[in-house]
Amino acid sequence: MIFLVVNFSMPKMTKFILGTFIVFVASGWQNAFAIHVSIYEPRVPKEILEEVQEIENPYPATEEQIEAGRKIYFGKGLCVTCHSKDGRGVIVPGHSPRNLTDAKWQEIRTDGELMWVLRNGSPGTGMPVRVGKVITEKEGWSVINFVRTFAGK
Ligand code: HEC
């Protein structure tokens, strides 16, 4: 890539400026990767990950449950303001909200992990605490049932 951009027939000064620019951009990218941990990495701390993963949603995903979750998502949970109507998430400076339609992410995460994030937020990101603050635990499980309907959309 660098060889394609910095042509050897260019004057020295141009090469120098281009080279500096490329190094700057490249190190910027590295920083970006360091801050934005892969979306597939668990958000729950390692020490408790296994037990949290095993916690099951006590409310089966019935139509009523999903409908109740939809109301929370678009209403008092304020989820829609960051995750958008279609679940893909709005573009904000810094760490982006999760794209809830990502099929691989949906498959990897258990409901227990999603509940942990709703209860604790995602530390170091804009994902705020929801359960216990703006919604109840039951409403949290409902909104998780609704979030599951975004899978692969
Ligand atoms: C102020 C913006 C904001 C609001 C409001 C918000 N989120 Fe998030 N959400 C985020 C961001 C940013 C992330 C990415 C966090 C990360 O990468 O760890 C995220 C991540 C998530 C995740 C992924 C967690 C994981 O383990 O990967 C889920 C699920 C989620 N949000 C659900 C919700 C639900 C449900 C609501 C409403 C009850 C909500 N969010 C409200 C910004 C928001």
Side-chain angles (χ1 to χ4, degrees):
M1 167 79 174
I2 290 171
F3 291 113
L4 285 177
V5 181
V6 185
N7 191 307
F8 287 107
S9 62
M10 283 177 180
K12 256 194 187 146
M13 196 57 192
T14 314
K15 264 192 235 169
F16 176 76
I17 293 170
L18 255 179
T20 313
F21 177 71
I22 289 166
V23 169
F24 175 77
V25 170
S27 56
W29 271 106
Q30 268 167 15
N31 283 342
F33 283 126
I35 298 164
H36 302 283
V37 184
S38 156
I39 68 165
Y40 304 121
E41 278 292 309
R43 267 35 184 173
V44 176
K46 259 197 223 108
E47 313 81 69
I48 53 166
L49 181 59
E50 239 173 83
E51 63 183 278
V52 167
Q53 275 175 334
E54 277 164 23
I55 299 169
E56 281 177 17
N57 192 332
Y59 303 95
T62 58
E63 254 175 58
E64 292 81 38
Q65 259 297 309
I66 293 171
E67 196 42 44
R70 187 195 312 275
K71 289 208 178 99
I72 300 295
Y73 186 92
F74 288 97
K76 68 176 177 177
L78 296 178
C79 323
V80 68
T81 54
C82 296
H83 292 283
S84 76
K85 271 195 244 169
D86 62 4
R88 290 178 187 276
V90 296
I91 297 173
V92 290
H95 194 105
S96 305
R98 179 73 64 259
N99 173 2
L100 301 170
T101 70
D102 188 294
K104 184 179 164 191
W105 170 82
Q106 283 270 2
E107 206 185 304
I108 291 174
R109 289 286 198 275
T110 70
D111 283 7
E113 287 179 271
L114 301 191
M115 179 47 93
W116 186 90
V117 168
L118 290 180
R119 273 202 195 112
N120 300 280
S122 184
T125 77
M127 173 65 202
V129 174
R130 303 282 82 189
V131 167
K133 213 168 181 189
V134 290
I135 59 174
T136 65
E137 176 146 335
K138 185 175 181 193
E139 288 168 337
W141 289 119
S142 308
V143 84
I144 289 171
N145 278 328
F146 175 66
V147 161
R148 292 301 188 189
T149 66
F150 284 127
K153 272 196 182 158

